[in-house]
Amino acid sequence: MTSTMTKTQPESTANDPFLWLEDRNGKEALDWVHRQNVLTVAELQGDPSYQATFETALDLMTAEDNMAVGAALAGHVYNFWQDKTNALGLWRRAPVASYKTEKPEWETIIDFDQLSAKEGIKWVFGGASRLYPDFDRCLLHMSPDGGDASEMREFDIATKSFVDGGFSARASKSGFSWLDKDTVIVSAAFEESDKTQSGYPRVIKLWRRGTKLEDATLIFEGAKHDLAVGGGVEYDDDKRHILLGKTLDFFTSHSFLRLDSGENRRIPLPDDATDTAIFKGQLIFGVRSPWTTPDGTRCLPDGLYSVDFDRWIATGTFGPFETVLEPAHRVSIAGLARTQDRLFINLMDNVRGKVIACDRTANGWSLKPVALPDNGNVGISHVEHFGSSVSFSFTDFLTPSSIIWSDDNGEMLQTVKSQPARFDASPYVSEQFEARSEDGTMIPYFVVRRRDQKGPVPALLYGYGGFEVPLLPGYAGIRGKLWLDTGNAYVQANIRGGGEFGPAWHQAALKGKRQNAFDDFAAVAEDVVKRGITTAAQLGIQGGSNGGLLTGTSLTQRPELFGAVIIDVPLLDMLRYTELPPGASWVAEYGDPSKPEEAAWLGAYSPYQHVAADVVYPPVLLMTSTANDRVHPGHARKMAARLQEAGHGRTLFFEETEGGHGGRGDRRPQAAQTAMRYMFLKRALTGTA
């Protein structure tokens, strides 16, 4: 281990020759970005097949027959829609009965292209909080650049206009939700004193109509070192609960109920409680680690439990606990959702989905499976909290997504929407294999390829492996059209660190165990080669955000395994990640580089510190966004600069100037980046130009 790896944060910063690239909007940094973009665009967009690839990607992203996914509320289905005509999109709605038809009668609520043209800002829709019980008013969130920070304005849905003199606030990472028509719960992150060290809300206030935001009444606050606080209202039938939360880190939190007296009473669940819901007077929850309740009930990860919430409100003590769902091998909870009368549990069973419907009766809990298709990715698309409608999504790698609708709490099911097929899936097969990782753990992965494949073909391996996020089977028309249909294979790895098999699968790659995730990914790469699906020279890898850390580390640790590496919106300098907002929020996932013992394990793999001049690396494409306020673009910039300085001329860098972390907004830049990725893979893995 070199001295660079073991140095603490201040010392490693002093020796960083590319620190100036962390200046997000600095002239010198942006001049460098511009020069890099010119070179990358010339090479990838200059490819003879680029234009057709771009047009195909854009056509599929903006096709008028794309499936309109929506959520029902008070008789309407609300949907956000983008196509070639509506680049920034329409927020619209249709009556439920009309939505189920082939040609719904959509009513436009806001045309964001028109609004943007009028105001001279490219507004990106960020969602809306609607006012109970009529849902005719909303607190509308709009980002000026596609980042996480959003402006808030009060909007009247009936008149399709902003409320004159209504609630409004400048762009920030604050949160807003209704308490009642004249009061808003504000999770504030405006001034530095309002923010946690991660840049998220630290205080919660009540803001009365007609008063200034700065005069709002403080009702709750967290510590500077907490990740964030947040508040909102939860309804259980006609009971209104004001819930406040303090997120300590990504995996632990404290929840509070605000009583009529003004007391914020902590709900005494374990810090790592998860999958919480309030239903029929019961508080439902899961745990990330074993917990024994006050009455002796043993709660285990991947199980679900409940306790009488109404009794706790009245007495301040918990009564008997009940088991809602027993844990099972390789079955994990993907989420909970509820209509007015039924609770639904979304499960993953060996990376395949199912949904369980739960009823609360005088005798306790009654469970039964919802009659949905097997052997695919089944999810809960929407639930109507104040009604009985619920919809489910179904897809797999070769089956276009569909929406299966119910108006009676999941009893009668009807497929109401299906995404049109974007490629002929009949020549392909989707298979699940396992690879043995360095420590003997078996790592599942999926392969999609031609049934008649005779020998190795170019393959793209995708991974993530962090934050309890699972990678599930899913249909992607662009991938099918631009990758599979050109004779290639697609591989998706379910490595540790993700949420495919519950908390234990995630914790196996947490902090100092991070190397397990990298070893898992390498094991899958070796296994697909061993099976004859591809060769190392024909194998490309891709990952974004935490997945960008995965592919960046794979590049520096095992470059011989890959023929091309795509690193999207990544973390790469793990000795400085907490200095780049909001990196401090991820300490529970990765560790704290200011602590020598944790800096040691971070430095042992941090890709930026491990670029070497005497190693042969495959071609690399790094992509990020200037407006990305979740993972700082400095990571990708500095990595590209260091690779190039070390003599690795096959390093390309591209930075979009808008769109944020998830690439929200206009589809044209997204289509261009997609096309450039496929151009890069084609040129690197097949040698064709």
Coordinates of all heavy atoms in Angstrom, one line a residue, residues 116-150:
S116 N -41.5 27.5 -19.9 CA -40.1 27.8 -20.0 C -39.8 28.9 -21.0 O -39.0 29.8 -20.8 CB -39.3 26.5 -20.4 OG -39.4 25.5 -19.3
A117 N -40.6 28.8 -22.1 CA -40.4 29.9 -23.1 C -40.9 31.2 -22.6 O -40.3 32.3 -22.8 CB -41.2 29.5 -24.4
K118 N -41.9 31.2 -21.8 CA -42.5 32.5 -21.2 C -41.5 33.1 -20.2 O -41.3 34.3 -20.2 CB -43.8 32.2 -20.6 CG -44.5 33.4 -19.9 CD -45.8 33.0 -19.3 CE -46.4 34.2 -18.5 NZ -47.7 33.8 -17.8
E119 N -40.9 32.2 -19.4 CA -40.1 32.7 -18.3 C -38.6 32.7 -18.6 O -37.8 33.2 -17.8 CB -40.4 31.9 -17.0 CG -41.8 32.0 -16.6 CD -42.1 31.4 -15.2 OE1 -41.1 30.8 -14.6 OE2 -43.2 31.5 -14.7
G120 N -38.2 32.1 -19.7 CA -36.8 32.1 -20.1 C -35.9 31.2 -19.2 O -34.7 31.3 -19.2
I121 N -36.5 30.2 -18.6 CA -35.8 29.2 -17.8 C -36.3 27.8 -18.2 O -37.5 27.6 -18.4 CB -36.1 29.4 -16.3 CG1 -35.6 30.7 -15.9 CG2 -35.4 28.3 -15.5 CD1 -35.9 31.1 -14.4
K122 N -35.4 26.8 -18.5 CA -35.8 25.5 -18.9 C -36.2 24.7 -17.6 O -35.5 24.0 -17.0 CB -34.7 24.8 -19.6 CG -34.3 25.4 -21.0 CD -33.3 24.7 -21.7 CE -33.7 23.4 -22.2 NZ -32.7 22.7 -23.1
W123 N -37.5 24.9 -17.3 CA -38.0 24.2 -16.1 C -38.2 22.7 -16.2 O -38.7 22.3 -17.2 CB -39.4 24.8 -15.7 CG -39.3 26.2 -15.2 CD1 -39.8 27.4 -15.8 CD2 -38.7 26.7 -14.0 NE1 -39.6 28.5 -15.0 CE2 -38.9 28.1 -13.9 CE3 -38.0 26.1 -12.9 CZ2 -38.4 28.9 -12.8 CZ3 -37.5 26.8 -11.9 CH2 -37.7 28.2 -11.8
V124 N -37.7 22.0 -15.2 CA -37.8 20.5 -15.2 C -38.8 20.2 -14.1 O -38.5 20.5 -12.9 CB -36.5 19.9 -15.0 CG1 -36.6 18.3 -14.9 CG2 -35.5 20.2 -16.2
F125 N -39.8 19.5 -14.4 CA -40.9 19.1 -13.4 C -40.3 18.2 -12.4 O -39.6 17.2 -12.7 CB -42.0 18.4 -14.2 CG -43.2 18.0 -13.3 CD1 -43.7 18.9 -12.4 CD2 -43.7 16.7 -13.4 CE1 -44.8 18.5 -11.6 CE2 -44.8 16.4 -12.6 CZ -45.3 17.2 -11.7
G126 N -40.5 18.5 -11.1 CA -40.0 17.7 -10.0 C -41.1 17.1 -9.1 O -40.7 16.5 -8.1
G127 N -42.4 17.2 -9.5 CA -43.4 16.6 -8.7 C -44.3 17.6 -8.1 O -44.0 18.8 -8.1
A128 N -45.4 17.2 -7.4 CA -46.3 18.1 -6.8 C -46.9 17.4 -5.6 O -47.3 16.2 -5.6 CB -47.4 18.5 -7.8
S129 N -47.1 18.2 -4.5 CA -47.8 17.7 -3.3 C -49.2 18.3 -3.3 O -49.4 19.5 -3.3 CB -47.0 18.2 -2.1 OG -47.7 18.0 -0.9
R130 N -50.2 17.4 -3.4 CA -51.6 17.9 -3.5 C -52.3 18.0 -2.2 O -52.0 17.2 -1.2 CB -52.4 17.0 -4.5 CG -52.1 17.5 -5.9 CD -52.3 16.4 -6.9 NE -51.1 15.5 -6.9 CZ -51.0 14.5 -7.7 NH1 -51.9 14.2 -8.6 NH2 -49.9 13.7 -7.6
L131 N -53.3 18.9 -2.1 CA -53.9 19.3 -0.8 C -55.1 18.4 -0.6 O -56.1 18.4 -1.3 CB -54.3 20.7 -0.8 CG -55.1 21.3 0.4 CD1 -54.2 21.2 1.6 CD2 -55.5 22.7 0.1
Y132 N -55.1 17.7 0.6 CA -56.3 16.8 1.0 C -57.4 17.8 1.6 O -57.0 18.8 2.2 CB -55.8 15.9 2.1 CG -56.8 15.1 2.8 CD1 -57.3 13.9 2.3 CD2 -57.4 15.5 4.0 CE1 -58.3 13.1 2.9 CE2 -58.4 14.8 4.6 CZ -58.8 13.6 4.1 OH -59.8 12.9 4.7
P133 N -58.6 17.5 1.4 CA -59.2 16.3 0.7 C -59.7 16.5 -0.7 O -60.1 15.6 -1.4 CB -60.4 16.0 1.6 CG -60.9 17.4 2.0 CD -59.7 18.3 2.1
D134 N -59.6 17.8 -1.2 CA -60.1 18.0 -2.6 C -59.1 17.9 -3.6 O -59.4 17.7 -4.8 CB -60.7 19.4 -2.6 CG -61.9 19.6 -1.7 OD1 -62.6 18.7 -1.5 OD2 -62.1 20.7 -1.2
F135 N -57.8 18.0 -3.3 CA -56.7 17.8 -4.2 C -56.7 18.8 -5.3 O -56.2 18.4 -6.4 CB -56.6 16.3 -4.7 CG -56.7 15.3 -3.6 CD1 -57.8 14.6 -3.4 CD2 -55.6 15.2 -2.7 CE1 -57.9 13.6 -2.3 CE2 -55.6 14.2 -1.7 CZ -56.8 13.5 -1.5
D136 N -57.2 20.0 -5.1 CA -57.3 20.9 -6.2 C -56.2 21.9 -6.2 O -56.0 22.7 -7.1 CB -58.7 21.7 -6.1 CG -58.9 22.3 -4.7 OD1 -58.1 22.0 -3.8 OD2 -59.8 23.1 -4.6
R137 N -55.4 22.0 -5.1 CA -54.3 22.8 -4.9 C -53.0 21.9 -4.8 O -53.1 20.8 -4.3 CB -54.3 23.7 -3.7 CG -55.4 24.8 -3.8 CD -54.9 26.0 -4.7 NE -55.9 27.0 -4.7 CZ -55.9 28.1 -3.9 NH1 -54.9 28.3 -3.0 NH2 -56.8 29.0 -4.1
C138 N -51.9 22.4 -5.3 CA -50.7 21.6 -5.1 C -49.5 22.6 -4.9 O -49.5 23.8 -5.2 CB -50.4 20.7 -6.3 SG -50.0 21.5 -7.8
L139 N -48.5 22.0 -4.2 CA -47.2 22.7 -4.1 C -46.3 22.1 -5.2 O -45.9 20.9 -5.1 CB -46.6 22.4 -2.7 CG -47.5 22.9 -1.6 CD1 -46.8 22.5 -0.2 CD2 -47.7 24.4 -1.6
L140 N -46.0 22.9 -6.2 CA -45.4 22.4 -7.4 C -43.9 22.6 -7.3 O -43.4 23.6 -6.9 CB -45.9 23.2 -8.6 CG -45.5 22.7 -10.0 CD1 -46.3 21.4 -10.4 CD2 -45.8 23.7 -11.1
H141 N -43.1 21.5 -7.7 CA -41.6 21.6 -7.6 C -41.1 21.6 -9.0 O -41.4 20.7 -9.8 CB -41.1 20.4 -6.8 CG -41.7 20.3 -5.4 ND1 -41.3 21.0 -4.4 CD2 -42.8 19.6 -5.0 CE1 -42.0 20.8 -3.3 NE2 -42.9 19.9 -3.6
M142 N -40.2 22.6 -9.3 CA -39.6 22.7 -10.6 C -38.1 23.0 -10.4 O -37.7 23.9 -9.7 CB -40.2 23.8 -11.4 CG -41.8 23.7 -11.5 SD -42.4 25.1 -12.5 CE -41.9 26.5 -11.6
S143 N -37.3 22.3 -11.2 CA -35.8 22.5 -11.1 C -35.4 23.4 -12.3 O -35.8 23.2 -13.4 CB -35.0 21.2 -11.2 OG -33.7 21.5 -11.4
P144 N -34.6 24.4 -12.1 CA -34.2 25.3 -13.2 C -33.1 24.7 -14.1 O -32.8 25.2 -15.1 CB -33.7 26.6 -12.5 CG -33.2 26.1 -11.1 CD -34.1 24.9 -10.8
D145 N -32.5 23.6 -13.6 CA -31.4 23.0 -14.4 C -31.4 21.5 -14.4 O -30.4 20.9 -15.0 CB -30.0 23.5 -13.9 CG -29.8 23.2 -12.4 OD1 -30.6 22.4 -11.8 OD2 -28.8 23.7 -11.8
G146 N -32.4 20.9 -13.9 CA -32.5 19.4 -13.8 C -31.8 18.8 -12.6 O -31.9 17.6 -12.4
G147 N -31.2 19.6 -11.8 CA -30.6 19.1 -10.5 C -31.7 18.8 -9.5 O -32.9 19.0 -9.7
D148 N -31.2 18.5 -8.3 CA -32.1 18.1 -7.2 C -32.7 19.4 -6.5 O -33.8 19.3 -6.0 CB -31.3 17.3 -6.1 CG -31.0 15.9 -6.5 OD1 -31.5 15.5 -7.6 OD2 -30.2 15.3 -5.9
A149 N -32.0 20.5 -6.6 CA -32.6 21.7 -6.0 C -33.7 22.2 -6.9 O -33.6 22.4 -8.1 CB -31.5 22.8 -5.9
S150 N -34.9 22.5 -6.2 CA -36.1 22.9 -6.9 C -36.7 24.1 -6.3 O -36.6 24.4 -5.1 CB -37.1 21.7 -6.9 OG -36.7 20.6 -7.6

